[in-house]
Amino acid sequence: MPRRRYIFDPPDRFVAGAIGEPGDRAFFLQAREGRRVVSVALEKVQVAVLTERLGALLEELGRRGVPDVEPEGEPEEPLPPIGLADVGDDAGDDVGMLDEPLNEAFRAGSLTLGWDGGAGRVLVEARAQDEDGEAIDPDEDDDEDEDGPDLLRVRMTAAAARGFVERAARIVAAGRPPCPLCGAPLDPLGHICPRRNGHYVN
């Protein structure tokens, strides 16, 4: 099957989101332009790493004096965790649900990001896994190869990227709380903790 390319330059909305209960959530990147919606499945750790590195990129751009890149800082009022019925309007306060229909275009194997200084845009790319479920090295992927992995490419302003980071950080933090002893996620009824010789902690 020829590769599919989903290009958003810029999107009307680009967010990370999750569905399901803590401990059993499915994570997605979702881009929307008009009525076109593309959702890419990925792991929670991929969302966390993308959020961290995108935040670091924005901080570095701010230190270098790139226009329209705000320095890292806490919002004046803490934003609520993402809930199933929450709705927001501004890019930085986007706590709305993922757009429907929620159809998985592909599962991300690798994520890359960068900065286009000429256009003043942040670039985020997600490439599909190969047939064996392995990530494909973006450096070895020729964008013109019609047999390459499916690709989502999003180019957005620094302000939109900041909004993505704020929302994604709340999505990641809204999961199960960590065990105070070992740091592993706590289930609603607790968990078997290795620091307590296999006894339950709740």
Side-chain angles (χ1 to χ4, degrees), residues 183-199:
L186 279 174
D187 291 322
L189 299 177
H191 82 130
I192 298 174
C193 181
R195 298 283 302 272
R196 294 284 305 271
N197 293 327
H199 290 87

Side-chain angles (χ1 to χ4, degrees), residues 151-190:
L151 171 71
L152 169 68
R153 176 177 295 143
V154 175
R155 287 162 48 92
M156 59 188 161
T157 64
R162 177 71 66 199
F164 175 91
V165 168
E166 290 172 359
R167 175 191 166 102
R170 296 196 309 274
I171 289 285
V172 171
R176 294 174 291 173
C179 171
L181 298 176
C182 71
L186 279 174
D187 291 322
L189 299 177

Side-chain angles (χ1 to χ4, degrees), residues 17 54-56 73 82 84 100 104 106 112 129 135 147 173 181:
L54 188 50
I82 302 294
L84 291 179
E100 295 183 358
E104 178 183 320
F106 61 86
T112 57
Q129 298 173 340
D147 294 326
L181 298 176

Side-chain angles (χ1 to χ4, degrees), residues 83-162:
L84 291 179
D86 294 327
V87 178
D89 296 323
D90 299 328
D93 298 337
D94 185 347
V95 294
M97 297 188 314
L98 292 169
D99 291 316
E100 295 183 358
L102 187 58
N103 298 322
E104 178 183 320
F106 61 86
R107 176 162 289 278
S110 63
L111 301 170
T112 57
L113 61 92
W115 172 251
D116 182 344
R121 293 288 185 269
V122 174
L123 173 70
V124 176
E125 292 182 341
R127 284 177 171 77
Q129 298 173 340
D130 66 15
E131 294 177 357
D132 298 324
E134 300 294 326
I136 295 174
D137 186 347
D139 293 334
E140 297 178 2
D141 178 34
D142 180 0
D143 282 357
E144 302 305 317
D145 182 1
E146 290 302 323
D147 294 326
D150 290 348
L151 171 71
L152 169 68
R153 176 177 295 143
V154 175
R155 287 162 48 92
M156 59 188 161
T157 64
R162 177 71 66 199

